[in-house]
Amino acid sequence: MAIISVCKNKHEADVKVFLVSNKHEADLLYCEMKQKFDAKGDALWFFTDRDHEATAKIFWVNGKHEADVKVFKVDQKFEAKWKGSNKFVSRLG
């Protein structure tokens, strides 16, 4: 269950994330869920403002070179997945 909290400070984050504009550049294709109970695995994200609820705290970085994980937002749940190996597999959800 990927319940994601967005940090304001990089040092508070578990994962530094960069949003790419092309899905072929991404490590992870994620889909944003409207309900917390729909969040599953690493790729179906529910965003929360409550840090204590989060399974992962992320910080959006400004450059690819700063990121632990490059992500691309998809519209359909079935598209959401890791595209290869990454040290953060199974650590977001």
Side-chain angles (χ1 to χ4, degrees):
M1 173 180 303
I3 301 174
I4 306 298
S5 172
V6 178
C7 298
K8 292 181 181 168
N9 298 305
K10 189 187 304 189
H11 68 277
E12 296 173 355
D14 301 318
V15 185
K16 294 182 293 292
V17 178
F18 181 74
L19 184 65
V20 295
S21 56
N22 183 325
K23 79 161 79 174
H24 301 293
E25 297 177 84
D27 301 314
L28 175 66
L29 305 177
Y30 82 94
C31 185
E32 187 174 342
M33 302 288 96
K34 295 182 195 289
Q35 303 292 325
K36 183 171 27 173
F37 59 80
D38 287 330
K40 293 191 177 24
D42 285 338
L44 301 180
W45 291 11
F46 175 78
F47 286 94
T48 182
D49 292 330
R50 300 178 180 147
D51 286 348
H52 67 277
E53 284 186 344
T55 57
K57 293 184 277 185
I58 68 167
F59 180 81
W60 294 107
V61 294
N62 294 322
K64 279 190 245 187
H65 64 282
E66 298 177 77
D68 297 316
V69 180
K70 296 181 295 289
V71 299
F72 183 84
K73 184 177 178 182
V74 294
D75 295 325
Q76 302 295 322
K77 290 191 324 187
F78 71 87
E79 296 178 280
K81 64 181 179 182
W82 283 102
K83 291 185 49 200
S85 64
N86 185 289
K87 69 179 184 176
F88 288 95
V89 170
S90 298
R91 291 179 55 191
L92 301 177

